[in-house]
Amino acid sequence: MSQNFLNRHPERISDILLTSPEQTELLSITSPSTLFLLEKDLFRQIDIFSTNFPILVGRQPAISNWDPSLPPQGLEVFSALGDPSNLGALLRCCEAFKVGKVILLQESTHPFHPKTVRSSAGSCFRTKLEWGPSIQQDLGDFFALDNSGRSLTEFSWPQSGRLLFGEEGNGLPLNKRGSLCLKIPMSEDLESLNAVSAASIALFHYRLQHPLN
């Protein structure tokens, strides 16, 4: 992902960490980045994924707070996912299906956690993000995926709305279950899908009814 991200967002890269001058040949560097040559032991400590590839040090985009008084613009997503890899995969799905914004609830992991950045393939930098309240607080009107709800196959999505993804394992709090819940039809032998698998199905179903231009 490093070269692809460097090509698309050179202005966000401030520094590049290397272990040898020869590593510059692995990247086509056109951004005004500062190169730092590190000892191999230090580089290995920073290279938590053991890529042995130059490490890009980027500028984190500012994230504003969600304003609940504003109506949704297109489909927006609430996320309480605490696993960094799951959040990254969700953000990748949200970019693919052109979600209006992702509202990160207090239970959510940080969108720029290294594992989130890696699993999102850079979508965390391109998806509109906002900080939201706790999943326990009032979120206004929304839809949510839960086995207690109506079948997704019988549901007609509005053009604009919000979709809630609860915490892994805990699912939705009891006070968030009700008539706005949707379920994905599947074998009764399986209790539930992975959060990101469920998100992909729901977002695809939304786009079947509201195609991308």
Side-chain angles (χ1 to χ4, degrees), residues 16 21 58 66-67 77 89 100 103 121 130 189:
I16 299 177
W66 173 57
D67 184 351
V77 166
I103 303 161
E130 293 184 354
D189 297 331

Side-chain angles (χ1 to χ4, degrees), residues 82-100:
D83 182 275
S85 295
N86 277 351
L87 178 60
L90 174 64
L91 294 177
R92 195 170 182 176
C93 289
C94 288
E95 182 181 18
F97 295 109
K98 206 171 183 180
V99 162

Side-chain angles (χ1 to χ4, degrees), residues 25-44:
E25 299 176 3
L26 299 175
L27 294 172
S28 299
I29 301 173
T30 57
S31 64
S33 307
T34 304
L35 304 182
F36 288 92
L37 193 61
L38 305 183
E39 294 288 342
K40 290 185 178 180
D41 287 343
L42 176 58
F43 185 88
R44 278 194 290 268

Side-chain angles (χ1 to χ4, degrees), residues 77 79-97 116 119-120 145 163-169 184 192-204:
V77 166
S79 173
L81 298 181
D83 182 275
S85 295
N86 277 351
L87 178 60
L90 174 64
L91 294 177
R92 195 170 182 176
C93 289
C94 288
E95 182 181 18
F97 295 109
T116 306
S119 62
S120 77
L145 296 182
L163 178 61
L164 170 64
F165 294 103
E167 299 175 88
E168 302 95 334
I184 297 172
S192 63
L193 291 171
N194 170 275
V196 179
S197 298
S200 300
I201 293 171
L203 295 179
F204 176 70

Side-chain angles (χ1 to χ4, degrees), residues 115-168:
K115 290 183 179 180
T116 306
V117 175
R118 183 179 176 86
S119 62
S120 77
S123 291
C124 58
F125 295 100
R126 297 184 293 270
T127 303
K128 184 176 181 180
L129 304 174
E130 293 184 354
W131 294 119
S134 168
I135 194 174
Q136 301 291 343
Q137 295 176 253
D138 183 13
L139 302 177
D141 295 330
F142 62 86
F143 306 103
L145 296 182
D146 188 81
N147 285 335
S148 65
R150 60 187 292 191
S151 175
L152 188 64
T153 58
E154 302 170 356
F155 180 66
S156 294
W157 290 92
Q159 179 70 45
S160 296
R162 295 189 174 108
L163 178 61
L164 170 64
F165 294 103
E167 299 175 88
E168 302 95 334

